[in-house]
Amino acid sequence: MEIVTSYSTIETTTAAVDEAVSQLKARLVRPSLLLVYFSGHDNAQVIREQLVAEFPDTQILGCSSCQGILTEAGYFPDRVVGLWAVFDFNGAYGSALVSTHQLPHQMAKQALLKAIQNTGRLGELPSLVLLHASPGAEEEVIQAISQEFGTPVPIIGGSAADAGVLGEWQLFTQDHSASDGVAVSVFYPSCDLSFSFHSGYAKTDHRAVATKVEGRELIELDYRPAKEVYEEWIKQPLEYGQSIMSLSALHPIGRIAGTLHDLPYFKLAHPNSVTARGGITLFASVKEGEELYLMTGTEENLVNRTGRTVDGLLHDSHQQIEAIGGISIYCAGCMLQVKPRMDMVAEKMQQAMLNAPFICPFTFGEQGQFLGGENEHGNLMISNVLFYRE
């Protein structure tokens, strides 16, 4: 089993894909699976057609990223095409994208079953599901995947992104491309895997119950307008209709996802904007009756946490291992908050991946599996998987 990456920062889409493919083929000719993350290129169909022509027998999954990507070669802002490829003679991999007018959970189930069918491993549980969906209903998608398996198969993923929350995100597989839908790849690798899903934020003493929620709008906290309560928490006035993405990146909302050794760990929701009725829109769903906590972080934490995740990746093993490669998902909101320091983030992520080849898009929501086995969707988080041999 071998994993390699390549990239191109050429401005023209066709030339960028050609260069990335040429670099890749110099080291790996016939991938079992090809992952594609791109930013600053607005035509996923062109990228898809070129890659299918170059790799007609390869399963492919592509997803747009926000303002760049990371690989083991460094940080590449803005316009870039990145490729991650695995060749695994004894493994199996399948990709599928469903983009219809059906409900999200129906699309998720269909995509999952089609991806498994593409592996030829029907009836066998995969070791990993990679999920990329358009933003908006990630919790439903995760629930549908979990229900289909009936057991917590690990999920890693990130919601498709664009340069500025404009709805211009794109997805594709070997079969077709779309702006909205659910795309998955299923992995049956011939190696071991280790996972980490992590936020790096700390709980404060501020907390309240979500007493009124509609969709992803948090309307009331403790029967008061959410805007008023959040203003008191962060000690800063907010305007109706105001985008608060940047302001709230260091002050997200947390919910307890589980406990480990009697200590809670949290999934986060990133406040997006203030509504006319004093509600706050979020990039994740909360439920009425849930207890919500104000979380706090610093730019230093957003940089340093990337390297610390290696502890989570191999928490149960202190043996010598051979790292083959990895995939990381890093929140676009965090990236934008520390963009001048992303070269340092790249260095720390390389350490976390034990210097193995990896790729990392910047997404509008992150999916991963906590240490307790819960597959969850959150914001301002980092989700990792490392492929390794002992």
Side-chain angles (χ1 to χ4, degrees), residues 239-303:
E239 300 294 330
Y240 292 100
Q242 175 186 1
S243 170
I244 57 173
M245 273 183 60
S246 178
L247 170 69
S248 64
L250 299 179
H251 308 286
I253 301 296
R255 293 150 293 155
I256 294 177
T259 59
L260 185 67
H261 306 306
D262 297 324
L263 294 174
Y265 46 86
F266 294 83
K267 55 184 176 181
L268 306 185
H270 187 182
N272 176 28
S273 63
V274 179
T275 67
R277 58 180 168 180
I280 294 177
T281 63
L282 307 169
F283 284 106
S285 300
V286 300
K287 298 176 183 178
E288 288 185 3
E290 278 191 307
E291 190 163 38
L292 308 183
Y293 297 80
L294 178 69
M295 310 293 288
T296 185
T298 65
E299 291 188 4
E300 199 69 24
N301 283 345
L302 298 186
V303 173

Side-chain angles (χ1 to χ4, degrees), residues 60-274:
I60 301 172
L61 175 57
C63 179
S64 54
S65 177
C66 176
Q67 299 185 28
I69 65 168
L70 296 172
T71 77
E72 75 279 6
Y75 166 54
F76 304 102
D78 304 317
R79 189 179 296 268
V80 62
V81 174
L83 305 179
W84 180 100
V86 57
F87 174 74
D88 189 357
F89 182 79
N90 294 313
Y93 303 81
S95 296
L97 165 64
V98 174
S99 179
T100 65
H101 296 296
Q102 294 173 291
L103 295 172
H105 74 272
Q106 294 171 319
M107 291 191 288
K109 181 177 179 179
Q110 291 176 18
L112 181 66
L113 294 177
K114 185 176 181 183
I116 292 173
Q117 187 176 31
N118 287 343
T119 69
R121 297 279 188 96
L122 290 171
E124 183 180 342
L125 285 175
S127 300
L128 171 68
V129 175
L130 173 64
L131 169 64
H132 290 302
S134 49
E138 295 90 341
E139 291 90 355
E140 294 177 50
V141 169
I142 290 173
Q143 184 178 26
I145 293 172
S146 299
Q147 287 176 345
E148 189 63 28
F149 289 135
T151 188
V153 172
I155 295 173
I156 181 176
S159 310
D162 59 19
V165 201
L166 303 172
E168 297 174 352
W169 41 75
Q170 300 179 79
L171 298 162
F172 69 86
T173 62
Q174 65 279 354
D175 296 320
H176 64 107
S177 61
S179 57
D180 291 290
V182 178
V184 299
S185 289
V186 290
F187 291 61
Y188 298 82
S190 61
C191 71
D192 294 315
L193 305 179
S194 194
F195 306 91
S196 175
F197 192 39
H198 182 267
S199 80
Y201 289 75
K203 177 177 72 70
T204 71
D205 293 331
H206 296 296
R207 61 183 180 180
V209 173
T211 47
K212 188 174 182 180
V213 175
E214 285 185 14
R216 285 190 168 174
E217 182 184 359
L218 175 60
I219 302 170
E220 292 182 358
L221 287 166
D222 287 346
Y223 301 101
R224 297 174 56 206
K227 170 183 176 290
E228 292 182 6
V229 177
Y230 191 68
E231 284 176 327
E232 292 174 4
W233 285 357
I234 66 172
K235 295 180 172 58
Q236 188 161 338
L238 305 175
E239 300 294 330
Y240 292 100
Q242 175 186 1
S243 170
I244 57 173
M245 273 183 60
S246 178
L247 170 69
S248 64
L250 299 179
H251 308 286
I253 301 296
R255 293 150 293 155
I256 294 177
T259 59
L260 185 67
H261 306 306
D262 297 324
L263 294 174
Y265 46 86
F266 294 83
K267 55 184 176 181
L268 306 185
H270 187 182
N272 176 28
S273 63
V274 179

